[in-house]
Amino acid sequence: MGGPAHSSAETLTFRDATKHYPGSPTPAVDGLSLEVPAGEICVLVGPSGCGKTTAMRMVNRMIDITSGDILLGDRSVKDRKPAELRREIGYVIQQIGLFPHRTIADNVATVPKLLGWDKKRITSRVDELLELVGLAPHEMRSRFPAQLSGGQRQRVGVARALAVDPSVMLMDEPFGAIDPINRERLQNEFLRLQAELRKTIVFVTHDIDEAIKMGDRIAIMQEGGRLAQYAPPAELLMSPASEFVEDFVGADRALKRLALQRVRDIDLWTAPTCRVGDSTDEVRRRIADADIDIPLLVDEHGHPIGWLSERGLTGERVREELRSRAEPTVDLDDILRDALSDLLAADTLYGPVVDAQGRLAGVLSMQVISSALTITDPGNVPAPADLAS
Ligand SMILES: Nc1ncnc2c1ncn2[C@@H]1O[C@H](COP(=O)(O)OP(=O)(O)OP(=O)(O)O)[C@@H](O)[C@H]1O
Ligand SMILES: [Mg+2]
């Protein structure tokens, strides 16, 4: 992206950061320590009032830190001018917060104008950003916020936060006010955008599913502004650090993990493969060595054709006699949840897995999915003591 100096992402570090509002008996954020690696999304999630917004606003000093510190790169935010921080850190607030009497272009240009960019540079930057978030510049530029849908306004909010190519973005429930279908679209778009932009992002939500989807790491906070656990989503789901975390991620945490694993991440079964004309003796030997005892017929490119029937093996050479077509086929890049859904829909216990070229890569079975979920999950096997209580 053509633009200003501070474009490279920076590590963001909370060091025992504490906020104590005057007159309040307990801190709103209590000794928060965590590091957000440069270019990653850290999701702050937790019940209402647990200090998420407070933690986030200490980063750009909209709220002053009572004790402890927050570092951007290796510089304390306390050594920076608040006005300068607010210009350099992108901020998307829950109600989007567009200026109603300014056009979309003027809204997006808010910070560049403050920084005194020349008109030409502003105009081209605004168009570039609208394009980036999927809004047609010629259509949207001169409209007012009230003339946009909620989802479109949200995109303008994101474009505005990106205007000066910030190294860090703060997003406070950015998709909270959007209906579920559009929210899912905005989430996907934003993840695609982030794959390119690689900003360091603090993202607040109270929705654990959104946290699991958006977060490289998730910080679960609990009452009193205390950090309950900070971990990547898979780890959080596999080994919740406390009963609070376990309750918060939900009883279906094993199922939630299906959305985090891809077919390529797990140990697939092997199938005995054969081609028309192969020696049937040889195929029987392959059957003995494989995880499944039904041979899978493939073509000359290794694309699966179907499961061979007994009759296909009756002669000396394999003949094309199918029990069934090789359906459904599962992609290596599918998430386990979708792959499982395909197997269930086809009423089958297993299906061939193919790579991007459609070549056989293994076999996915219900059993494989089930062991992928259980083996790595110590919490899944109740300890004898738990059973007794
Ligand atoms: N300006 C303030 N003065 C005093 N107390 C405050 C102030 N702002 C927030 N608080 C208190 O600090 C605690 C944390 O508030 P905060 O807004 O950070 O919570 P949150 O996790 O963002 O909640 P929500 O999910 O409802 O947005 C709450 O108990 C709140 O009442
Ligand atoms: Mg809040």
Side-chain angles (χ1 to χ4, degrees), residues 243 246 253 378-389:
E243 216 165 295
E246 198 170 337
R253 65 193 171 90
N380 207 40
V381 185
D386 292 340
L387 292 174
S389 65

Side-chain angles (χ1 to χ4, degrees), residues 21-22 24 26-29 46-56 63 94 172-173 204-206 221 225:
Y21 289 109
S24 160
T26 53
V29 173
S48 184
C50 70
K52 305 181 293 295
T53 298
T54 302
M56 171 177 269
I63 293 177
Q94 163 142 28
D172 197 349
E173 308 224 19
V204 165
T205 179
H206 57 262
M221 294 177 68

Side-chain angles (χ1 to χ4, degrees), residues 34-102:
L34 57 82
E35 185 181 299
V36 189
E40 291 199 359
I41 302 181
C42 162
V43 177
L44 298 182
V45 65
S48 184
C50 70
K52 305 181 293 295
T53 298
T54 302
M56 171 177 269
R57 288 188 168 189
M58 287 193 288
V59 175
N60 63 2
R61 294 196 49 195
M62 292 175 83
I63 293 177
D64 269 318
I65 307 169
T66 308
S67 64
D69 204 354
I70 296 174
L71 291 89
L72 256 179
D74 47 19
R75 280 182 77 189
S76 165
V77 295
K78 292 175 178 173
D79 297 338
R80 311 280 299 270
K81 292 205 181 78
E84 177 191 301
L85 278 176
R86 270 163 240 166
R87 268 181 258 130
E88 288 184 16
I89 295 175
Y91 188 35
V92 186
I93 58 177
Q94 163 142 28
Q95 291 310 328
I96 307 159
L98 299 181
F99 303 111
H101 304 299
R102 293 192 200 161

Side-chain angles (χ1 to χ4, degrees), residues 116-306:
W117 291 16
D118 68 56
K119 243 181 158 167
K120 223 174 112 196
R121 184 172 173 205
I122 291 181
T123 308
S124 77
R125 182 65 180 153
V126 165
D127 286 1
E128 182 186 23
L129 285 161
L130 289 177
E131 203 94 57
L132 189 71
V133 298
L135 296 173
H138 62 278
E139 238 182 271
M140 295 296 176
R141 234 186 260 129
S142 46
R143 288 205 207 168
F144 289 91
Q147 297 169 313
L148 267 57
S149 75
Q152 291 169 333
R153 278 202 289 273
Q154 189 56 56
R155 287 172 213 210
V156 176
V158 172
R160 184 176 61 179
L162 285 170
V164 294
D165 206 5
S167 52
V168 172
M169 298 248 289
L170 307 176
M171 308 180 77
D172 197 349
E173 308 224 19
F175 310 135
I178 314 280
D179 66 275
I181 292 172
N182 277 305
R183 182 191 310 179
E184 173 133 27
R185 278 212 345 244
L186 284 166
Q187 288 168 341
N188 293 342
E189 272 171 21
F190 188 76
L191 286 175
R192 260 199 307 274
L193 205 59
Q194 166 67 356
E196 270 177 50
L197 300 179
R198 292 262 148 233
K199 302 291 178 195
T200 307
I201 296 172
V202 179
F203 187 110
V204 165
T205 179
H206 57 262
D207 175 358
I208 185 65
D209 290 309
E210 183 168 68
I212 289 167
K213 176 167 184 181
M214 305 301 286
D216 294 303
R217 282 153 206 267
I218 300 175
I220 296 203
M221 294 177 68
Q222 66 189 92
E223 285 76 10
R226 282 172 302 128
L227 182 64
Q229 189 168 5
Y230 184 49
E235 189 182 324
L236 205 72
L237 294 172
M238 266 185 308
S239 13
S242 65
E243 216 165 295
F244 173 82
V245 174
E246 198 170 337
D247 284 347
F248 196 83
V249 297
D252 62 339
R253 65 193 171 90
L255 289 178
K256 287 193 165 101
R257 279 170 46 212
L258 286 170
L260 289 174
Q261 280 178 292
R262 293 191 185 270
V263 173
R264 66 165 67 254
D265 301 330
I266 63 175
D267 274 336
L268 298 173
W269 274 357
T270 55
T273 55
C274 61
R275 292 187 34 200
V276 172
D278 281 356
S279 138
T280 47
D281 284 345
E282 170 58 28
V283 174
R284 282 182 214 286
R285 272 195 289 279
R286 282 181 214 154
I287 293 174
D289 290 340
D291 292 317
I292 305 184
D293 57 8
I294 303 169
L296 184 62
L297 191 69
V298 297
D299 68 13
E300 71 272 26
H301 307 294
H303 300 173
I305 299 169

